[in-house]
Amino acid sequence: MPSLDPVARTARLTAALRARESERPDRLFTDPLAAVLAGDIGRELADRLGDAPAIAIRTRFFDDLLTEMTGGEDGPRQLVILAAGMDTRAHRLPFPATTLYEVDRPELLRLKETLLADAPGPACRRVAVGADLAGDWPRSLAEAGFRAELPTCWLVEGLTQYLQEPDVLRLFDRITACSAPGSRLLTDFVAGSLLRDPEARPMLDALAEQGAPWHYGTDAPQSLFTERGWRVESVSFAEVGQEMGRWPQDSNAAGGYLVHAGR
């Protein structure tokens, strides 16, 4: 099987946490493919990290919005997941009229194809686009059939904390350049305050020891999008998590932010 660098391996960690959530009697979603995508590597990483409620919270939050946006007659018919990793929404959500582009490093997409060789096929047209997000991924996306003149729904999930600030800004500049009127953008951010929180240090140190340190966080994500011409709504992980029963009711820590933007 293809070997992955430490940041790419966090995709298997995410799969393990989604598999763990799927086993709960009060689960927020069911991801029947997550366990096989996680493998022993993902489960070991999850055991080291411990509880990470943000994964289940953001997964359910984005699931609901994506289903709503692509289900209407006027919704975008192109869905692009950047840094798609071990995402299985093509298989488990109803996107029958949607072309879903999964963009990630070629070796990670090859591993995913290998692990899912015996799984049922996707419920929509899925197009894998092997590209490094530090490179010319818009060109690779266009060569795969993406049409920038059509409205698009973008999902950037669990990525920005691994990037340096200039790379975060460049990423959203490129997305904006590829987004026609009517496009939507879903993403999440770690709170800047979390990166400075002594209570978070054990988790942050554990990720750094695995070669996947967190670099970027923000406590004001709205300006990233208004400066680029997007209308934006944001909500904290704490607020959404408390509604879902996955966040301590007495906690004042935001944890991070879930963003929904439109053009």
Side-chain angles (χ1 to χ4, degrees):
M1 289 194 179
S3 60
L4 304 177
D5 70 28
V7 173
R9 280 202 303 272
T10 63
R12 306 199 76 177
L13 163 64
T14 298
L17 294 171
R18 286 174 171 159
R20 185 181 293 175
E21 176 69 23
S22 299
E23 295 172 353
R24 292 178 59 135
D26 60 344
R27 55 188 170 272
L28 298 177
F29 56 85
T30 301
D31 189 341
L33 300 176
V36 69
L37 291 172
D40 291 339
I41 292 174
R43 285 184 283 273
E44 289 171 5
L45 291 172
D47 289 343
R48 293 176 192 171
L49 181 63
D51 189 29
I55 303 297
I57 293 166
R58 78 186 190 204
T59 300
R60 174 59 184 269
F61 183 82
F62 291 142
D63 279 1
D64 289 348
L65 281 175
L66 289 169
T67 301
E68 174 188 342
M69 283 188 282
T70 59
E73 293 183 0
D74 299 327
R77 292 294 176 253
Q78 294 184 133
L79 170 57
V80 179
I81 303 180
L82 297 179
M86 296 299 177
D87 190 277
T88 64
R89 290 184 173 94
H91 297 264
R92 63 182 183 82
L93 293 185
F95 299 142
T98 301
T99 298
L100 191 157
Y101 297 92
E102 293 187 1
V103 184
D104 214 318
R105 297 178 182 179
E107 63 273 17
L108 183 53
L109 293 175
R110 286 195 299 270
L111 173 59
K112 184 175 181 179
E113 296 286 352
T114 300
L115 294 171
L116 294 184
D118 298 325
C124 64
R125 179 172 177 258
R126 172 185 173 271
V127 180
V129 182
D132 190 331
L133 293 181
D136 191 4
W137 61 264
R139 178 177 178 178
S140 299
L141 190 57
E143 290 174 348
F146 173 80
R147 295 175 61 185
E149 72 274 15
L150 299 178
T152 301
C153 181
W154 302 87
L155 175 61
V156 183
E157 182 180 10
L159 172 64
T160 57
Q161 63 265 34
Y162 297 106
L163 305 179
Q164 299 287 349
E165 183 173 9
D167 297 318
V168 173
L169 301 182
R170 187 179 305 110
L171 175 69
F172 290 117
D173 283 340
R174 287 176 162 181
I175 291 174
T176 300
C178 295
S179 297
S183 293
R184 312 283 280 275
L185 171 57
L186 306 177
T187 190
D188 64 289
F189 297 94
V190 167
S193 57
L194 179 66
L195 299 182
R196 302 183 295 272
D197 186 349
E199 293 186 4
R201 182 48 49 193
M203 177 194 68
L204 298 174
D205 288 345
L207 288 164
E209 288 171 4
Q210 295 300 317
W214 285 3
H215 300 291
Y216 182 79
T218 178
D219 293 307
Q222 296 90 337
S223 61
L224 285 172
F225 302 94
T226 55
E227 292 171 357
R228 290 165 174 79
W230 295 83
R231 304 178 307 277
V232 62
E233 300 174 359
S234 70
V235 63
S236 72
F237 273 92
E239 183 177 345
V240 176
Q242 287 167 357
E243 292 178 356
M244 294 180 179
R246 291 292 189 279
W247 202 272
Q249 291 294 327
D250 59 352
S251 173
N252 295 320
Y257 299 91
L258 297 152
V259 171
H260 174 200
R263 297 197 82 194

